[in-house]
Amino acid sequence: MAGGTLTPPAGTEVRAPATPAERRAALRERIEAADLDALVVLDLADIRYLSGFTGSAGLLVLLADGADAFFTDFRYQTQVAAELDPAIDVRIESESLLKICHGFLAGRGASRVGFEREQLTYRAWSEWAEREPPALVPVEEWIEDLRMVKSAPEIAAIRKACGIADETFERILEEVRPGVTERELAARLELELAARGAEGASFETIVAFGERSALPHARPGPRELRPGDVVLFDFGAVADGYVSDMTRTIACGEPAAQMREVYTLVLNAQLAAIRGIRAGMAGPEADRLAREVIEAAGHGPRFGHSLGHGIGLEVHEAPRLGRKSADRLAAGMTVTIEPGVYLEGVGGVRIEDDALIGETGIELLTSAPKDQLIVL
Amino acid sequence: MAGGTLTPPAGTEVRAPATPAERRAALRERIEAADLDALVVLDLADIRYLSGFTGSAGLLVLLADGADAFFTDFRYQTQVAAELDPAIDVRIESESLLKICHGFLAGRGASRVGFEREQLTYRAWSEWAEREPPALVPVEEWIEDLRMVKSAPEIAAIRKACGIADETFERILEEVRPGVTERELAARLELELAARGAEGASFETIVAFGERSALPHARPGPRELRPGDVVLFDFGAVADGYVSDMTRTIACGEPAAQMREVYTLVLNAQLAAIRGIRAGMAGPEADRLAREVIEAAGHGPRFGHSLGHGIGLEVHEAPRLGRKSADRLAAGMTVTIEPGVYLEGVGGVRIEDDALIGETGIELLTSAPKDQLIVL
């Protein structure tokens, strides 16, 4: 059954800023409202979102007056010229980028400079504080908030990443046979992602056999597949910089009866969430939809993680769908829905899809088979 | 020519702490000398080094009195029981680990708690500061210093990771043919690493063709290989948690004469460093050995990065072999030696080996062919 038939299509037309310039303009309103002269951005996903730069070292500074600047080093000279929004002034530097940025802002007479509290280490903050002015002013989740609702091109990229994951899952089933190791299967899976156009895996692929599937974050190891094992795949693709994140649990030969029961339970929990989630709902309410199904079966303590999280340029971003989340869902957000039940020493089942939130329900973006336990 | 024949074998017997318990004991001396009650460790590589834990969420606290504790969440319950040094008290928690740690230390009457300046974000530091006591006291690079000199089992793991990289390079040459894309070659290379027992790639494999090889940190893309292109491979394996990091530059069909000249220059620069590096040398002196060869040929501005860096549990760690490094080399350190020259719009050459530093010279740990430009 394709996901789309299960739920109403995503509702409203969403208007999220779709270009780096529009995003910087949206942030500039907050910069001005907080009476700051500038905002320093160090997180690489944020930098990509706000400038187009995909490299792995750089510092972006947004100015209240609009004269934004980007500092990077020698290694990215060619790349930055090709990628960066031309409205941003680029400087290639060989000193510490924060030190350069401090001098740049001091030279412009800035007095109050914002930074995201998560993005500076204590070390970076204390070194700047010794050199004040300008003063550093902590802000919280401005860019994370902006990134939550996706624009049409972002949704298209995530859809593409989901399609690659779907196709890869169907292909990898052909490689599941007794004797193969977790590591071999994970490496093969990543090769198949690349063969379908993925820029890479969106995180280190998880392949876990038998009792190891009860470890929610097992790294693929030398364990060989044996008849009766369940096999848990948790993986995703990167496409145009955006990720997918999908989990499927199957079996190699008939598994213990207990695992079939757990599979049905986890699937029902996931379907309850898929049917119930909609815009306007708080993170804990979404989590509750699946958790109450699992708790009713007495397995509550064996579902120790959250129901899901946002996906986008990063594989874990806002909003959080969990018991302690303070986020509220809105149309245009893209999230995972991934309940799991883990029986220590026996095995675990997790089923995870990616979804686009609409006003009246969700649209599933992943559609690999899951409606009954696949037994190979 | 095998690396070993080029240089004297590593000298001295090195005595670096080889077990998590010995390492914690070494740190405890610094904790006591600084009049601290505890040291909070958040970096995952440091946690692995000091406890054996290989998961991706946890917090280790070393106490002056020796009652060390480790906090993690539900997901790692089984893993932590299997991996952790049994001398460490384990607690499975569902709240913020730093908050739990604060309560734990406050409850024990701690008054001064050390932390590595790089390991706390400003956010984490400021949240703790609001809850003082105990007071947080920044320390700098205590654990990084300890990790620089490797013990025999660590060197054995790095040697293994280097061997896997060597074998993979020879195998991947068979896949280099016109029409293949960078992405396909990178995915194949990672599959071949796994087939030889690697736990994974030590970083995202770089495969860059033609003019793209002049981007020192190119990500593999859809670019197809054309006759006359140079091909730059920069990759490594993880074995027993430790990494290798190797670069080779080859050509597919006869490249521009300029690229042959640059290859010879970079090779001569690398050989000068390999012959000259030894224990006792400062980081900038090591860098100088290769840089003066490249500068003498007028290509100094096109060698914009450092000569090398330490490798171990992480692919970039101390010591740094660069112009601004404050590190001094010692027997038992493992480092990369990787000069490069990049001609924008034309192509680049980098040649990188891993080496173990001994009293009287170095031992090369990677030995894939490099003594002349391989033209396929």
Side-chain angles (χ1 to χ4, degrees):
Chain A
M1 178 168 51
T5 65
L6 194 66
T7 54
T12 329
E13 185 80 7
V14 173
R15 272 189 300 268
T19 67
E22 287 168 21
R23 295 160 184 166
R24 294 198 308 281
L27 274 178
R28 212 171 326 272
E29 290 178 16
R30 297 193 77 162
I31 291 170
E32 285 169 2
D35 197 25
L36 298 176
D37 299 303
L39 179 70
V40 172
V41 184
L42 292 104
D43 178 81
L44 289 166
D46 286 348
I47 287 174
R48 178 171 186 158
Y49 184 77
L50 297 169
S51 76
F53 178 70
T54 68
S56 52
L59 185 157
L60 177 67
V61 54
L62 307 188
L63 278 91
D65 66 12
D68 301 334
F70 181 71
F71 307 100
T72 187
D73 65 58
F74 155 89
R75 295 172 296 169
Y76 299 99
Q77 192 154 17
T78 305
Q79 182 174 352
V80 81
E83 292 181 343
L84 216 73
D85 180 336
I88 302 170
D89 185 29
V90 172
R91 291 153 188 246
I92 304 296
E93 303 284 356
S94 61
E95 298 283 319
S96 145
L97 299 181
L98 260 176
K99 193 171 158 189
I100 294 287
C101 176
H102 177 272
F104 170 79
L105 290 169
R108 294 179 64 99
S111 66
R112 284 165 49 82
V113 175
F115 71 103
E116 293 272 0
R117 300 199 309 158
E118 293 275 357
Q119 294 190 9
L120 281 191
T121 62
Y122 172 82
R123 175 180 177 168
W125 176 82
S126 61
E127 286 176 355
W128 183 299
E130 284 166 18
R131 289 192 295 262
E132 286 191 358
L136 278 177
V137 179
V139 306
E140 193 161 2
E141 298 174 6
W142 285 8
I143 310 173
E144 191 173 5
D145 285 354
L146 195 59
R147 280 172 46 189
M148 273 200 281
V149 174
K150 270 65 181 180
S151 62
E154 292 179 287
I155 292 168
I158 294 168
R159 207 182 281 282
K160 182 172 163 189
C162 288
I164 293 170
D166 282 339
E167 288 175 23
T168 297
F169 175 70
E170 303 239 22
R171 171 68 187 79
I172 202 70
L173 293 180
E174 298 168 28
E175 305 291 332
V176 177
R177 61 181 70 91
V180 69
T181 68
E182 292 172 344
R183 236 176 243 162
E184 285 164 0
L185 218 44
R188 166 61 65 174
L189 193 154
E190 295 192 357
L191 188 69
E192 297 292 343
L193 289 173
R196 284 162 183 75
E199 286 156 22
S202 52
F203 54 92
E204 194 179 338
T205 295
I206 295 173
V207 176
F209 296 162
E211 74 293 341
R212 288 177 44 80
S213 61
L215 305 169
H217 280 70
R219 300 188 63 184
R223 164 80 153 81
E224 290 185 3
L225 186 60
R226 297 190 291 260
D229 279 342
V230 297
V231 180
L232 187 150
F233 295 98
D234 187 353
F235 68 102
V238 184
D240 300 332
Y242 285 78
V243 307
S244 57
D245 181 5
M246 183 169 82
T247 305
R248 287 292 183 268
T249 308
I250 67 165
C252 172
E254 191 53 38
Q258 203 181 10
M259 294 314 296
R260 281 204 175 264
E261 285 164 27
V262 168
Y263 189 89
T264 304
L265 175 64
V266 172
L267 179 62
N268 287 337
Q270 202 219 19
L271 294 175
I274 288 169
R275 282 188 210 102
I277 292 175
R278 66 201 68 240
M281 193 170 259
E285 287 179 85
D287 180 89
R288 192 84 216 116
L289 293 167
R291 193 169 305 277
E292 62 191 11
V293 175
I294 291 172
E295 284 175 354
H299 279 308
R302 281 165 286 280
F303 173 27
H305 55 74
S306 296
L307 178 64
H309 51 80
I311 54 170
L313 286 170
E314 289 174 299
V315 77
H316 290 104
E317 54 180 64
R320 315 281 158 186
L321 285 61
R323 284 171 282 187
K324 292 171 194 159
S325 169
D327 299 325
R328 190 164 288 278
L329 304 183
M333 293 181 179
T334 44
V335 302
T336 69
I337 302 177
E338 51 173 313
V341 169
Y342 311 92
L343 308 182
E344 192 180 332
V346 180
V349 173
R350 182 166 63 252
I351 304 174
E352 175 185 31
D353 284 297
D354 298 336
L356 171 64
I357 296 177
E359 290 297 351
T360 59
I362 64 171
E363 179 193 353
L364 287 183
L365 302 174
T366 42
S367 61
K370 67 169 179 195
D371 288 353
Q372 49 187 7
L373 178 66
I374 294 172
V375 179
L376 296 176
Chain B
M1 173 168 53
T5 64
L6 195 65
T7 54
T12 328
E13 184 81 9
V14 174
R15 270 188 301 267
T19 67
E22 288 169 18
R23 294 160 184 166
R24 294 199 307 282
L27 275 178
R28 214 172 321 275
E29 289 177 18
R30 296 193 77 162
I31 291 170
E32 285 170 1
D35 197 24
L36 298 175
D37 299 304
L39 179 71
V40 173
V41 184
L42 291 105
D43 177 81
L44 289 166
D46 285 349
I47 287 174
R48 177 171 186 158
Y49 184 75
L50 296 169
S51 76
F53 179 71
T54 67
S56 52
L59 184 157
L60 177 67
V61 54
L62 307 189
L63 278 89
D65 66 11
D68 300 335
F70 181 71
F71 308 100
T72 187
D73 65 59
F74 156 88
R75 294 171 297 170
Y76 299 98
Q77 193 154 17
T78 305
Q79 182 175 353
V80 80
E83 292 181 344
L84 215 74
D85 181 335
I88 302 171
D89 186 29
V90 173
R91 291 151 189 248
I92 305 296
E93 304 284 355
S94 61
E95 300 281 321
S96 144
L97 298 181
L98 260 178
K99 193 171 158 190
I100 295 285
C101 176
H102 176 273
F104 170 79
L105 290 169
R108 295 180 62 99
S111 66
R112 286 165 47 83
V113 175
F115 71 103
E116 293 270 1
R117 301 200 306 159
E118 293 275 356
Q119 294 189 7
L120 280 192
T121 62
Y122 172 81
R123 175 180 178 168
W125 175 81
S126 60
E127 286 176 355
W128 182 300
E130 284 165 17
R131 288 192 297 263
E132 286 189 357
L136 279 176
V137 179
V139 307
E140 194 163 0
E141 297 175 5
W142 285 8
I143 310 174
E144 191 174 4
D145 284 354
L146 195 58
R147 280 172 47 189
M148 272 200 284
V149 174
K150 269 65 179 179
S151 62
E154 292 179 288
I155 292 168
I158 293 167
R159 207 182 281 281
K160 184 172 161 188
C162 288
I164 293 170
D166 282 338
E167 287 176 22
T168 297
F169 175 70
E170 303 240 20
R171 170 69 188 78
I172 203 69
L173 293 180
E174 298 168 27
E175 305 291 331
V176 177
R177 62 180 71 90
V180 69
T181 68
E182 291 172 345
R183 239 177 242 161
E184 285 165 0
L185 218 44
R188 165 62 65 176
L189 192 153
E190 294 191 359
L191 188 71
E192 297 292 345
L193 289 173
R196 284 161 184 76
E199 286 156 24
S202 52
F203 54 93
E204 193 179 341
T205 295
I206 296 171
V207 176
F209 295 163
E211 74 293 343
R212 286 175 46 78
S213 61
L215 306 169
H217 281 70
R219 299 188 64 185
R223 164 80 152 80
E224 291 184 2
L225 187 59
R226 297 192 291 261
D229 280 341
V230 298
V231 180
L232 186 150
F233 295 99
D234 186 353
F235 68 102
V238 184
D240 301 332
Y242 286 77
V243 307
S244 56
D245 181 4
M246 184 169 81
T247 304
R248 289 291 184 268
T249 308
I250 66 166
C252 172
E254 191 55 36
Q258 204 180 7
M259 294 313 297
R260 281 204 174 266
E261 282 164 28
V262 168
Y263 189 90
T264 303
L265 174 64
V266 172
L267 179 63
N268 286 338
Q270 201 219 21
L271 294 175
I274 288 170
R275 282 189 210 102
I277 292 175
R278 66 202 68 240
M281 193 169 258
E285 288 177 86
D287 180 90
R288 192 85 217 114
L289 293 167
R291 194 169 303 278
E292 63 189 9
V293 175
I294 292 172
E295 285 175 352
H299 280 305
R302 282 166 285 281
F303 172 28
H305 56 74
S306 296
L307 178 64
H309 53 81
I311 55 169
L313 286 169
E314 290 174 299
V315 75
H316 290 104
E317 52 181 63
R320 315 281 158 185
L321 284 63
R323 283 171 283 186
K324 292 170 194 162
S325 168
D327 299 324
R328 190 165 289 278
L329 304 182
M333 293 181 180
T334 44
V335 301
T336 69
I337 302 175
E338 49 173 315
V341 169
Y342 311 94
L343 308 182
E344 193 179 331
V346 180
V349 172
R350 182 165 64 254
I351 304 173
E352 176 185 29
D353 285 296
D354 298 335
L356 170 64
I357 295 176
E359 290 297 350
T360 57
I362 64 171
E363 179 193 354
L364 286 183
L365 302 175
T366 41
S367 60
K370 67 171 181 194
D371 288 353
Q372 50 188 7
L373 179 65
I374 295 173
V375 179
L376 295 176

